[in-house]
Amino acid sequence: MAQAPGDIEALIALMARLPGLGPRSARRAVLHMLKKRAVVMDPLAQALAKVAATARDCTVCGNISDHDLCPICADPRRATGSVCVVEDVSDLWAMERAGGFKGRYHVLGGTLSALDSVGPDSLRIPQLVHRVEEEGVTEVILALNATVEGQTTAHYIAEALAPSGVEVSALAQGVPMGGELDYLDDGTIAAALAARRRL
Amino acid sequence: MAQAPGDIEALIALMARLPGLGPRSARRAVLHMLKKRAVVMDPLAQALAKVAATARDCTVCGNISDHDLCPICADPRRATGSVCVVEDVSDLWAMERAGGFKGRYHVLGGTLSALDSVGPDSLRIPQLVHRVEEEGVTEVILALNATVEGQTTAHYIAEALAPSGVEVSALAQGVPMGGELDYLDDGTIAAALAARRRL
């Protein structure tokens, strides 16, 4: 027989599918919840039910939101004419944590990939071109990952936006904060050298 | 501003308090749920709400259950007269995974600890003595952890049960399955030697 009632085993199986949790840690997490029902399990169940009921994609930028417009698209102070293009919602959150960007975002939902047959239409690139035309966007900042797929996608977007005449830029590549040259890969050092700046 | 709407940040904060998850992995887990709302988040929210609404302690043995009696206490085939005493529900689940025990359980909810002022009354030990008297228990198996606290608690329970005349035993101590002598601690080897058995 199973160790726990069926509902609890079902909950453990669902928790075990989350990234970073496996069968053993999911069992431990559920047991912890069951021991602290009032202070851990009930608030978590309520918070999860609330998010599951309200979460949706922002209709403009693709960010996760609890309204049709995410807080960033709904904030008139962020209508700066700058749109930052990111691959994923997690990248948007990382940009916001870093601070410094005052404009709005556009979440692609991935990168172009011939192997996985991901084309421009499944990446919200037409919506980006449309936004640039309709919203009076003056600058598009490509904040895509420094991977082959990310850079390929960046080039495709730059070409797709060329007819609109909008300014297109990309995040600088170079030595990361705290980076020691001895431990950096050759590509990073070469990119930092090519993009060196006068002091 | 926060990276995500308030409800989502609240959910991440609650997830981050589970054992085995921290702020970063909780954020990743919630983001994964948000991306797979129909196949991950909604089933998880429903399963958690169901368990939160029904989970309670078995009134007899202290196991986690969705009824007043847990499946083991409700199963007449397990009325063998044997009661296995464990510290915690996780130990009960471990015993069930191992198989081999066909009787019922009694969950103490911890071990005696003078430092944390945990006395016999906060450990369901009086309920155990009462069960032994009322249920016609013939054998009590102490499956407590092989720690100082576990063994202290085992001795206390053995003395508390002495007047009832019930047979009290404990799990064997010795070399674990696959154990290599060279890697075992001295205490385990000494215990295995003292409990050696004739072939």
Side-chain angles (χ1 to χ4, degrees):
Chain A
M1 63 158 286
Q3 294 95 54
D7 290 344
I8 295 176
E9 289 292 334
L11 175 61
I12 292 171
L14 285 166
M15 289 283 290
R17 281 201 253 151
L18 295 178
L21 285 170
R24 285 186 83 93
S25 47
R27 186 170 293 278
R28 214 167 85 234
V30 169
L31 201 62
H32 176 79
M33 289 194 246
L34 285 166
K35 277 195 223 161
K36 316 238 167 169
R37 289 201 278 280
V39 292
V40 177
M41 180 167 246
D42 293 345
L44 188 58
Q46 285 160 18
L48 185 56
K50 197 169 175 187
V51 170
T54 59
R56 70 196 82 173
D57 293 336
C58 171
T59 51
V60 173
C61 75
N63 187 12
I64 299 262
S65 174
D66 48 2
H67 291 87
D68 284 341
L69 275 187
C70 76
I72 296 172
C73 287
D75 184 349
R77 286 167 302 176
R78 301 200 61 153
T80 60
S82 282
V83 168
C84 178
V85 178
V86 290
E87 289 179 23
D88 224 328
V89 175
S90 54
D91 300 326
L92 189 160
W93 291 1
M95 289 291 297
E96 285 294 292
R97 278 200 301 278
F101 179 65
K102 303 294 177 210
R104 286 175 176 161
Y105 291 93
H106 193 83
V107 180
L108 295 178
T111 49
L112 292 175
S113 168
L115 275 180
D116 302 326
S117 61
V118 178
D121 291 347
S122 41
L123 282 188
R124 308 186 76 247
I125 291 179
Q127 288 94 319
L128 175 64
V129 174
H130 184 76
R131 276 183 77 181
V132 166
E133 287 162 0
E134 299 293 311
E135 283 183 27
V137 173
T138 54
E139 186 185 12
V140 171
I141 302 169
L142 301 176
L144 304 181
N145 291 335
T147 57
V148 172
E149 297 80 13
Q151 297 308 304
T152 308
T153 309
H155 277 116
Y156 180 89
I157 294 176
E159 277 183 31
L161 291 176
S164 72
V166 71
E167 191 183 324
V168 179
S169 60
L171 292 187
Q173 295 196 330
V175 180
M177 282 285 181
E180 298 180 43
L181 292 194
D182 196 17
Y183 292 96
L184 284 177
D185 62 297
D186 301 344
T188 298
I189 294 178
L193 179 67
R196 66 190 177 277
R197 56 202 182 85
R198 193 180 286 272
L199 293 180
Chain B
M1 63 159 285
Q3 296 93 53
D7 290 345
I8 295 177
E9 288 292 334
L11 175 61
I12 292 171
L14 286 165
M15 289 282 291
R17 281 202 253 150
L18 294 179
L21 284 170
R24 284 187 84 92
S25 47
R27 187 169 292 279
R28 214 167 86 234
V30 169
L31 200 62
H32 176 79
M33 289 195 247
L34 286 166
K35 277 194 220 161
K36 316 238 167 169
R37 289 202 278 280
V39 292
V40 176
M41 179 167 245
D42 293 344
L44 188 59
Q46 285 160 20
L48 185 55
K50 197 169 175 189
V51 170
T54 59
R56 69 196 83 171
D57 293 335
C58 172
T59 51
V60 173
C61 74
N63 187 12
I64 300 262
S65 174
D66 49 3
H67 292 86
D68 284 340
L69 275 187
C70 75
I72 297 172
C73 288
D75 184 347
R77 286 168 302 176
R78 301 199 62 152
T80 59
S82 282
V83 168
C84 177
V85 177
V86 290
E87 289 179 24
D88 224 329
V89 174
S90 55
D91 300 326
L92 188 161
W93 291 2
M95 289 290 297
E96 285 293 293
R97 278 200 299 279
F101 180 65
K102 303 293 177 208
R104 286 174 176 160
Y105 291 92
H106 192 83
V107 180
L108 294 178
T111 49
L112 292 174
S113 168
L115 274 180
D116 304 325
S117 62
V118 178
D121 291 347
S122 42
L123 281 187
R124 307 187 76 248
I125 291 177
Q127 289 93 318
L128 175 64
V129 175
H130 184 76
R131 276 183 78 181
V132 166
E133 286 164 359
E134 297 294 309
E135 283 183 27
V137 173
T138 54
E139 184 185 13
V140 171
I141 301 170
L142 301 176
L144 303 180
N145 292 334
T147 57
V148 172
E149 296 80 14
Q151 297 310 303
T152 308
T153 308
H155 276 115
Y156 179 89
I157 293 175
E159 276 183 32
L161 290 176
S164 72
V166 71
E167 190 183 323
V168 178
S169 60
L171 293 187
Q173 296 195 329
V175 180
M177 280 286 181
E180 298 181 43
L181 292 194
D182 197 17
Y183 292 96
L184 285 176
D185 62 299
D186 301 345
T188 299
I189 294 177
L193 180 68
R196 66 190 178 279
R197 57 200 181 85
R198 192 180 287 271
L199 294 178

